[in-house]
Amino acid sequence: MRFDDTNPTKEKQEYQDAIVEDCALLGIKPDAVSYTSDWFEELYQQCVQMLKDGIAYADDTEQMKMRDERMNGIASARRDSTVEENLARFEEMKKGNEEGVKWCIRAKMSVDNPNKAMRDPVIYRCNPQDHHRTGNKWKIYPTYDFCCPVVDSIEGVTHALRTTEYNDRDPQYQWFIENLKLRKVYNWGFSRLNFVRTVLSKRKLTKIVDAGIVWGWDDPRMPTVRGVRRRGAVIPALREFILKQGPSKNIVNQDWYAFWATNKKYIEPTAARFTAIDEDAKVPVTIIGAREGVLTEDKPKHAKYDLGNKKVVFSSNVILEQADAASFAQDEEITLMNWGNAIVRKISHSLNPLKLKTVTGLELELHLQGDVKKTSKKVTWLSSDQNLIPIELVDFDYLITKDKLEGDDVLEDFLNPQTETRTKALADCNVADLKVDDIVQFDRKGFFRIDKAFAHNEPVVAFQIPTGKSK
């Protein structure tokens, strides 16, 4: 594992730590760790040699003018400076003084090559800012494109695997290998993984984090390893999905559907089932024919898989959700999940300000000999005579509103204004024992990852896990 820490302005220890942690989460433990900054002396010597050999030169052309000249195939006025002039300017750069910061070093490849990556790229810049690993030892730093072939060759890399966006820069990579007489390294291209309505550019993601649009790099809306894990992805699913993509060169804009469908396959057998009722839409129900008092039974946490037992509380006072209650007809037979059939005997209504009927109460008569296969409505319920656990169920939407951002699209124009939906609910007493990272299923609501456990009467916070089904 190598960290290309060549730009002190952009490098931070926390980024390196995050990469190490993410690899550990994926079960990847490198047998060696190195840093491009370990090779600053060798890279400096290579650059000095290039200046002496006349295949590099110092340039102080203003940035916009340099960009324009490269675009139009115009040679820099400094291209034919003498070796002595170039070395002297590199020394000024090395001091990091006022004169030095005006200059950069460029490789003398070509002025007008049709491949613009070959038009005298910058290989060294002056930056007086301290480096987080080397402190103030260096005031000059090699560019990524210069470092990669040199350090790859020195460190024994055989194949440099790069996404197809680097195709134009592969000839540049090989130019350094050949002109610096380095050991051969092969370039191997594969397509970058893209997802619909998702930005994967680190620059754009940094913008989203810095603007406070998300909570941080581990926000469940972020397409980072820790982001999708916090949303509820499990590592075996992540690994299977990536391996299924293969090293294709075809650029495809993936839908998240396949990713979350793969994940569901892994979480389904391990997710215990519980019950939650929307707090703002709860309807009190009286059960006629229920045994007196409160009865607690042990029931399996999952109908198909042996995940142990949970407590189910039965009593004559229960709550249902408004959407279910509003769908009932007088004397209709329905099924209370995990209990049995009941017949609707009484429905109480009230009119809200919009003249819409709201169910304010129900009476259901147990009919346990009824056939659960013959009812069309199977509803979740909770006994009120238990310690109901407050829970926030959180669902997330895409961060951007367009399937694929084009080069001239402005990120801010396509940010989704509403990406988070929170529902206050009441869950069964078993939910008090859930721990952070537990993945569970709430009947008829879906799969959730516990982000915050129940403590000191603070509600549980659970993030909904997509399952590959479109909304």
Side-chain angles (χ1 to χ4, degrees), residues 172-195:
Q172 185 194 90
Y173 183 107
Q174 293 301 330
W175 186 94
F176 286 119
I177 295 281
E178 288 160 23
N179 283 272
L180 301 180
K181 300 178 177 58
L182 299 169
R183 183 188 58 81
K184 179 76 175 165
V185 181
Y186 293 92
N187 295 123
W188 188 299
F190 64 97
S191 75
R192 171 180 162 153
L193 189 61
N194 293 303
F195 284 97

PDB file of all heavy atoms in Angstrom, residues 172-195:
ATOM      1  N   GLN A 172       2.654   9.034 -21.430  1.00  0.00           N
ATOM      2  CA  GLN A 172       3.504   9.903 -20.603  1.00  0.00           C
ATOM      3  C   GLN A 172       4.251   9.063 -19.554  1.00  0.00           C
ATOM      4  O   GLN A 172       5.454   9.234 -19.333  1.00  0.00           O
ATOM      5  CB  GLN A 172       2.584  10.927 -19.920  1.00  0.00           C
ATOM      6  CG  GLN A 172       3.252  11.993 -19.106  1.00  0.00           C
ATOM      7  CD  GLN A 172       2.228  12.718 -18.224  1.00  0.00           C
ATOM      8  OE1 GLN A 172       1.991  12.311 -17.106  1.00  0.00           O
ATOM      9  NE2 GLN A 172       1.623  13.768 -18.750  1.00  0.00           N
ATOM     10  N   TYR A 173       3.510   8.138 -18.924  1.00  0.00           N
ATOM     11  CA  TYR A 173       4.069   7.221 -17.927  1.00  0.00           C
ATOM     12  C   TYR A 173       5.240   6.448 -18.545  1.00  0.00           C
ATOM     13  O   TYR A 173       6.323   6.345 -17.959  1.00  0.00           O
ATOM     14  CB  TYR A 173       2.956   6.275 -17.478  1.00  0.00           C
ATOM     15  CG  TYR A 173       3.279   5.279 -16.392  1.00  0.00           C
ATOM     16  CD1 TYR A 173       2.782   5.449 -15.110  1.00  0.00           C
ATOM     17  CD2 TYR A 173       4.020   4.126 -16.654  1.00  0.00           C
ATOM     18  CE1 TYR A 173       3.014   4.511 -14.102  1.00  0.00           C
ATOM     19  CE2 TYR A 173       4.272   3.188 -15.663  1.00  0.00           C
ATOM     20  CZ  TYR A 173       3.763   3.387 -14.379  1.00  0.00           C
ATOM     21  OH  TYR A 173       4.001   2.453 -13.403  1.00  0.00           O
ATOM     22  N   GLN A 174       5.025   5.915 -19.765  1.00  0.00           N
ATOM     23  CA  GLN A 174       6.062   5.117 -20.428  1.00  0.00           C
ATOM     24  C   GLN A 174       7.238   5.989 -20.886  1.00  0.00           C
ATOM     25  O   GLN A 174       8.380   5.517 -20.925  1.00  0.00           O
ATOM     26  CB  GLN A 174       5.458   4.341 -21.611  1.00  0.00           C
ATOM     27  CG  GLN A 174       4.461   3.261 -21.210  1.00  0.00           C
ATOM     28  CD  GLN A 174       5.071   2.210 -20.276  1.00  0.00           C
ATOM     29  OE1 GLN A 174       6.266   1.926 -20.319  1.00  0.00           O
ATOM     30  NE2 GLN A 174       4.237   1.639 -19.399  1.00  0.00           N
ATOM     31  N   TRP A 175       6.960   7.262 -21.209  1.00  0.00           N
ATOM     32  CA  TRP A 175       8.049   8.183 -21.591  1.00  0.00           C
ATOM     33  C   TRP A 175       9.043   8.332 -20.436  1.00  0.00           C
ATOM     34  O   TRP A 175      10.259   8.298 -20.634  1.00  0.00           O
ATOM     35  CB  TRP A 175       7.453   9.545 -21.967  1.00  0.00           C
ATOM     36  CG  TRP A 175       8.456  10.543 -22.508  1.00  0.00           C
ATOM     37  CD1 TRP A 175       8.750  10.773 -23.828  1.00  0.00           C
ATOM     38  CD2 TRP A 175       9.279  11.446 -21.753  1.00  0.00           C
ATOM     39  NE1 TRP A 175       9.704  11.758 -23.935  1.00  0.00           N
ATOM     40  CE2 TRP A 175      10.049  12.187 -22.677  1.00  0.00           C
ATOM     41  CE3 TRP A 175       9.448  11.691 -20.395  1.00  0.00           C
ATOM     42  CZ2 TRP A 175      10.965  13.167 -22.285  1.00  0.00           C
ATOM     43  CZ3 TRP A 175      10.366  12.659 -19.994  1.00  0.00           C
ATOM     44  CH2 TRP A 175      11.116  13.387 -20.927  1.00  0.00           C
ATOM     45  N   PHE A 176       8.503   8.484 -19.209  1.00  0.00           N
ATOM     46  CA  PHE A 176       9.393   8.597 -18.035  1.00  0.00           C
ATOM     47  C   PHE A 176      10.204   7.309 -17.849  1.00  0.00           C
ATOM     48  O   PHE A 176      11.395   7.349 -17.587  1.00  0.00           O
ATOM     49  CB  PHE A 176       8.578   8.894 -16.771  1.00  0.00           C
ATOM     50  CG  PHE A 176       8.055  10.306 -16.693  1.00  0.00           C
ATOM     51  CD1 PHE A 176       6.684  10.558 -16.649  1.00  0.00           C
ATOM     52  CD2 PHE A 176       8.926  11.387 -16.656  1.00  0.00           C
ATOM     53  CE1 PHE A 176       6.198  11.848 -16.576  1.00  0.00           C
ATOM     54  CE2 PHE A 176       8.445  12.692 -16.586  1.00  0.00           C
ATOM     55  CZ  PHE A 176       7.075  12.919 -16.548  1.00  0.00           C
ATOM     56  N   ILE A 177       9.541   6.147 -17.969  1.00  0.00           N
ATOM     57  CA  ILE A 177      10.221   4.854 -17.809  1.00  0.00           C
ATOM     58  C   ILE A 177      11.407   4.760 -18.780  1.00  0.00           C
ATOM     59  O   ILE A 177      12.530   4.390 -18.398  1.00  0.00           O
ATOM     60  CB  ILE A 177       9.231   3.691 -18.053  1.00  0.00           C
ATOM     61  CG1 ILE A 177       8.127   3.645 -16.986  1.00  0.00           C
ATOM     62  CG2 ILE A 177       9.973   2.349 -18.168  1.00  0.00           C
ATOM     63  CD1 ILE A 177       8.509   3.025 -15.662  1.00  0.00           C
ATOM     64  N   GLU A 178      11.145   5.101 -20.059  1.00  0.00           N
ATOM     65  CA  GLU A 178      12.177   4.955 -21.093  1.00  0.00           C
ATOM     66  C   GLU A 178      13.283   6.000 -20.947  1.00  0.00           C
ATOM     67  O   GLU A 178      14.483   5.668 -20.995  1.00  0.00           O
ATOM     68  CB  GLU A 178      11.537   5.064 -22.484  1.00  0.00           C
ATOM     69  CG  GLU A 178      10.694   3.845 -22.848  1.00  0.00           C
ATOM     70  CD  GLU A 178       9.693   4.130 -23.956  1.00  0.00           C
ATOM     71  OE1 GLU A 178       9.934   5.087 -24.738  1.00  0.00           O
ATOM     72  OE2 GLU A 178       8.679   3.411 -24.035  1.00  0.00           O
ATOM     73  N   ASN A 179      12.912   7.263 -20.769  1.00  0.00           N
ATOM     74  CA  ASN A 179      13.917   8.330 -20.755  1.00  0.00           C
ATOM     75  C   ASN A 179      14.736   8.357 -19.474  1.00  0.00           C
ATOM     76  O   ASN A 179      15.857   8.880 -19.466  1.00  0.00           O
ATOM     77  CB  ASN A 179      13.252   9.682 -21.006  1.00  0.00           C
ATOM     78  CG  ASN A 179      12.911   9.876 -22.462  1.00  0.00           C
ATOM     79  OD1 ASN A 179      13.730  10.351 -23.243  1.00  0.00           O
ATOM     80  ND2 ASN A 179      11.704   9.488 -22.856  1.00  0.00           N
ATOM     81  N   LEU A 180      14.199   7.814 -18.384  1.00  0.00           N
ATOM     82  CA  LEU A 180      14.974   7.744 -17.134  1.00  0.00           C
ATOM     83  C   LEU A 180      15.631   6.372 -16.974  1.00  0.00           C
ATOM     84  O   LEU A 180      16.235   6.094 -15.941  1.00  0.00           O
ATOM     85  CB  LEU A 180      14.059   8.032 -15.927  1.00  0.00           C
ATOM     86  CG  LEU A 180      13.355   9.397 -15.933  1.00  0.00           C
ATOM     87  CD1 LEU A 180      12.485   9.566 -14.706  1.00  0.00           C
ATOM     88  CD2 LEU A 180      14.354  10.534 -16.028  1.00  0.00           C
ATOM     89  N   LYS A 181      15.457   5.535 -18.054  1.00  0.00           N
ATOM     90  CA  LYS A 181      16.094   4.200 -18.080  1.00  0.00           C
ATOM     91  C   LYS A 181      15.726   3.371 -16.838  1.00  0.00           C
ATOM     92  O   LYS A 181      16.584   2.801 -16.159  1.00  0.00           O
ATOM     93  CB  LYS A 181      17.613   4.322 -18.228  1.00  0.00           C
ATOM     94  CG  LYS A 181      18.024   5.045 -19.514  1.00  0.00           C
ATOM     95  CD  LYS A 181      19.526   5.206 -19.639  1.00  0.00           C
ATOM     96  CE  LYS A 181      19.912   5.851 -20.959  1.00  0.00           C
ATOM     97  NZ  LYS A 181      19.308   7.174 -21.202  1.00  0.00           N
ATOM     98  N   LEU A 182      14.415   3.339 -16.561  1.00  0.00           N
ATOM     99  CA  LEU A 182      13.910   2.612 -15.395  1.00  0.00           C
ATOM    100  C   LEU A 182      13.444   1.217 -15.795  1.00  0.00           C
ATOM    101  O   LEU A 182      13.172   0.948 -16.973  1.00  0.00           O
ATOM    102  CB  LEU A 182      12.733   3.378 -14.766  1.00  0.00           C
ATOM    103  CG  LEU A 182      13.038   4.781 -14.248  1.00  0.00           C
ATOM    104  CD1 LEU A 182      11.749   5.525 -13.916  1.00  0.00           C
ATOM    105  CD2 LEU A 182      13.930   4.711 -13.015  1.00  0.00           C
ATOM    106  N   ARG A 183      13.323   0.331 -14.818  1.00  0.00           N
ATOM    107  CA  ARG A 183      12.784  -1.009 -15.049  1.00  0.00           C
ATOM    108  C   ARG A 183      11.362  -0.891 -15.600  1.00  0.00           C
ATOM    109  O   ARG A 183      10.576  -0.073 -15.155  1.00  0.00           O
ATOM    110  CB  ARG A 183      12.764  -1.788 -13.715  1.00  0.00           C
ATOM    111  CG  ARG A 183      12.285  -3.230 -13.834  1.00  0.00           C
ATOM    112  CD  ARG A 183      12.097  -3.871 -12.455  1.00  0.00           C
ATOM    113  NE  ARG A 183      11.157  -3.118 -11.637  1.00  0.00           N
ATOM    114  CZ  ARG A 183       9.835  -3.237 -11.751  1.00  0.00           C
ATOM    115  NH1 ARG A 183       9.300  -4.050 -12.630  1.00  0.00           N
ATOM    116  NH2 ARG A 183       9.050  -2.510 -10.986  1.00  0.00           N
ATOM    117  N   LYS A 184      11.034  -1.741 -16.565  1.00  0.00           N
ATOM    118  CA  LYS A 184       9.733  -1.683 -17.254  1.00  0.00           C
ATOM    119  C   LYS A 184       8.565  -1.977 -16.310  1.00  0.00           C
ATOM    120  O   LYS A 184       8.634  -2.885 -15.492  1.00  0.00           O
ATOM    121  CB  LYS A 184       9.747  -2.707 -18.403  1.00  0.00           C
ATOM    122  CG  LYS A 184       8.479  -2.792 -19.200  1.00  0.00           C
ATOM    123  CD  LYS A 184       8.333  -1.628 -20.153  1.00  0.00           C
ATOM    124  CE  LYS A 184       7.105  -1.795 -21.055  1.00  0.00           C
ATOM    125  NZ  LYS A 184       6.747  -0.542 -21.726  1.00  0.00           N
ATOM    126  N   VAL A 185       7.515  -1.188 -16.434  1.00  0.00           N
ATOM    127  CA  VAL A 185       6.240  -1.434 -15.734  1.00  0.00           C
ATOM    128  C   VAL A 185       5.145  -1.402 -16.796  1.00  0.00           C
ATOM    129  O   VAL A 185       5.154  -0.543 -17.676  1.00  0.00           O
ATOM    130  CB  VAL A 185       5.957  -0.346 -14.664  1.00  0.00           C
ATOM    131  CG1 VAL A 185       4.648  -0.650 -13.943  1.00  0.00           C
ATOM    132  CG2 VAL A 185       7.100  -0.231 -13.674  1.00  0.00           C
ATOM    133  N   TYR A 186       4.202  -2.331 -16.729  1.00  0.00           N
ATOM    134  CA  TYR A 186       3.119  -2.382 -17.715  1.00  0.00           C
ATOM    135  C   TYR A 186       1.886  -1.648 -17.192  1.00  0.00           C
ATOM    136  O   TYR A 186       1.520  -1.781 -16.035  1.00  0.00           O
ATOM    137  CB  TYR A 186       2.757  -3.843 -18.029  1.00  0.00           C
ATOM    138  CG  TYR A 186       3.867  -4.581 -18.742  1.00  0.00           C
ATOM    139  CD1 TYR A 186       4.817  -5.291 -18.005  1.00  0.00           C
ATOM    140  CD2 TYR A 186       3.990  -4.547 -20.135  1.00  0.00           C
ATOM    141  CE1 TYR A 186       5.860  -5.955 -18.644  1.00  0.00           C
ATOM    142  CE2 TYR A 186       5.022  -5.202 -20.775  1.00  0.00           C
ATOM    143  CZ  TYR A 186       5.961  -5.911 -20.034  1.00  0.00           C
ATOM    144  OH  TYR A 186       6.988  -6.559 -20.661  1.00  0.00           O
ATOM    145  N   ASN A 187       1.256  -0.897 -18.096  1.00  0.00           N
ATOM    146  CA  ASN A 187      -0.017  -0.254 -17.748  1.00  0.00           C
ATOM    147  C   ASN A 187      -1.168  -1.178 -18.130  1.00  0.00           C
ATOM    148  O   ASN A 187      -1.161  -1.778 -19.195  1.00  0.00           O
ATOM    149  CB  ASN A 187      -0.188   1.075 -18.493  1.00  0.00           C
ATOM    150  CG  ASN A 187       0.839   2.115 -18.084  1.00  0.00           C
ATOM    151  OD1 ASN A 187       1.577   2.625 -18.906  1.00  0.00           O
ATOM    152  ND2 ASN A 187       0.885   2.429 -16.804  1.00  0.00           N
ATOM    153  N   TRP A 188      -2.145  -1.267 -17.243  1.00  0.00           N
ATOM    154  CA  TRP A 188      -3.312  -2.135 -17.472  1.00  0.00           C
ATOM    155  C   TRP A 188      -4.554  -1.317 -17.117  1.00  0.00           C
ATOM    156  O   TRP A 188      -4.718  -0.919 -15.974  1.00  0.00           O
ATOM    157  CB  TRP A 188      -3.198  -3.377 -16.586  1.00  0.00           C
ATOM    158  CG  TRP A 188      -4.226  -4.431 -16.864  1.00  0.00           C
ATOM    159  CD1 TRP A 188      -5.577  -4.313 -16.757  1.00  0.00           C
ATOM    160  CD2 TRP A 188      -3.988  -5.773 -17.290  1.00  0.00           C
ATOM    161  NE1 TRP A 188      -6.200  -5.490 -17.080  1.00  0.00           N
ATOM    162  CE2 TRP A 188      -5.243  -6.415 -17.414  1.00  0.00           C
ATOM    163  CE3 TRP A 188      -2.837  -6.520 -17.566  1.00  0.00           C
ATOM    164  CZ2 TRP A 188      -5.378  -7.744 -17.808  1.00  0.00           C
ATOM    165  CZ3 TRP A 188      -2.984  -7.838 -17.959  1.00  0.00           C
ATOM    166  CH2 TRP A 188      -4.237  -8.436 -18.081  1.00  0.00           C
ATOM    167  N   GLY A 189      -5.406  -1.081 -18.110  1.00  0.00           N
ATOM    168  CA  GLY A 189      -6.569  -0.214 -17.882  1.00  0.00           C
ATOM    169  C   GLY A 189      -7.849  -0.985 -17.625  1.00  0.00           C
ATOM    170  O   GLY A 189      -8.058  -2.071 -18.152  1.00  0.00           O
ATOM    171  N   PHE A 190      -8.697  -0.424 -16.788  1.00  0.00           N
ATOM    172  CA  PHE A 190     -10.043  -0.985 -16.550  1.00  0.00           C
ATOM    173  C   PHE A 190     -10.986   0.177 -16.299  1.00  0.00           C
ATOM    174  O   PHE A 190     -10.555   1.280 -15.955  1.00  0.00           O
ATOM    175  CB  PHE A 190     -10.043  -1.967 -15.368  1.00  0.00           C
ATOM    176  CG  PHE A 190      -9.706  -1.334 -14.033  1.00  0.00           C
ATOM    177  CD1 PHE A 190     -10.704  -0.939 -13.159  1.00  0.00           C
ATOM    178  CD2 PHE A 190      -8.378  -1.119 -13.675  1.00  0.00           C
ATOM    179  CE1 PHE A 190     -10.386  -0.342 -11.946  1.00  0.00           C
ATOM    180  CE2 PHE A 190      -8.056  -0.523 -12.461  1.00  0.00           C
ATOM    181  CZ  PHE A 190      -9.061  -0.133 -11.595  1.00  0.00           C
ATOM    182  N   SER A 191     -12.281  -0.054 -16.493  1.00  0.00           N
ATOM    183  CA  SER A 191     -13.217   1.069 -16.378  1.00  0.00           C
ATOM    184  C   SER A 191     -13.483   1.424 -14.914  1.00  0.00           C
ATOM    185  O   SER A 191     -13.517   0.557 -14.049  1.00  0.00           O
ATOM    186  CB  SER A 191     -14.542   0.735 -17.070  1.00  0.00           C
ATOM    187  OG  SER A 191     -15.286  -0.165 -16.293  1.00  0.00           O
ATOM    188  N   ARG A 192     -13.690   2.694 -14.703  1.00  0.00           N
ATOM    189  CA  ARG A 192     -14.026   3.181 -13.372  1.00  0.00           C
ATOM    190  C   ARG A 192     -15.484   2.817 -13.064  1.00  0.00           C
ATOM    191  O   ARG A 192     -16.314   2.751 -13.966  1.00  0.00           O
ATOM    192  CB  ARG A 192     -13.843   4.708 -13.397  1.00  0.00           C
ATOM    193  CG  ARG A 192     -14.342   5.434 -12.190  1.00  0.00           C
ATOM    194  CD  ARG A 192     -14.074   6.910 -12.407  1.00  0.00           C
ATOM    195  NE  ARG A 192     -14.882   7.705 -11.505  1.00  0.00           N
ATOM    196  CZ  ARG A 192     -14.539   8.900 -11.092  1.00  0.00           C
ATOM    197  NH1 ARG A 192     -13.413   9.434 -11.493  1.00  0.00           N
ATOM    198  NH2 ARG A 192     -15.315   9.575 -10.285  1.00  0.00           N
ATOM    199  N   LEU A 193     -15.762   2.568 -11.800  1.00  0.00           N
ATOM    200  CA  LEU A 193     -17.124   2.220 -11.385  1.00  0.00           C
ATOM    201  C   LEU A 193     -17.932   3.507 -11.205  1.00  0.00           C
ATOM    202  O   LEU A 193     -17.540   4.392 -10.454  1.00  0.00           O
ATOM    203  CB  LEU A 193     -17.068   1.442 -10.069  1.00  0.00           C
ATOM    204  CG  LEU A 193     -18.355   0.796  -9.573  1.00  0.00           C
ATOM    205  CD1 LEU A 193     -18.870  -0.237 -10.563  1.00  0.00           C
ATOM    206  CD2 LEU A 193     -18.114   0.132  -8.227  1.00  0.00           C
ATOM    207  N   ASN A 194     -19.022   3.618 -11.938  1.00  0.00           N
ATOM    208  CA  ASN A 194     -19.896   4.783 -11.818  1.00  0.00           C
ATOM    209  C   ASN A 194     -21.288   4.336 -11.394  1.00  0.00           C
ATOM    210  O   ASN A 194     -21.737   3.247 -11.761  1.00  0.00           O
ATOM    211  CB  ASN A 194     -20.005   5.513 -13.163  1.00  0.00           C
ATOM    212  CG  ASN A 194     -18.696   6.138 -13.575  1.00  0.00           C
ATOM    213  OD1 ASN A 194     -18.127   6.932 -12.850  1.00  0.00           O
ATOM    214  ND2 ASN A 194     -18.192   5.758 -14.744  1.00  0.00           N
ATOM    215  N   PHE A 195     -21.983   5.166 -10.634  1.00  0.00           N
ATOM    216  CA  PHE A 195     -23.356   4.882 -10.217  1.00  0.00           C
ATOM    217  C   PHE A 195     -24.264   6.041 -10.606  1.00  0.00           C
ATOM    218  O   PHE A 195     -23.848   7.203 -10.603  1.00  0.00           O
ATOM    219  CB  PHE A 195     -23.434   4.707  -8.694  1.00  0.00           C
ATOM    220  CG  PHE A 195     -22.904   3.391  -8.196  1.00  0.00           C
ATOM    221  CD1 PHE A 195     -21.608   3.282  -7.721  1.00  0.00           C
ATOM    222  CD2 PHE A 195     -23.699   2.258  -8.204  1.00  0.00           C
ATOM    223  CE1 PHE A 195     -21.116   2.077  -7.254  1.00  0.00           C
ATOM    224  CE2 PHE A 195     -23.220   1.049  -7.740  1.00  0.00           C
ATOM    225  CZ  PHE A 195     -21.921   0.948  -7.269  1.00  0.00           C
TER     226      PHE A 195
END
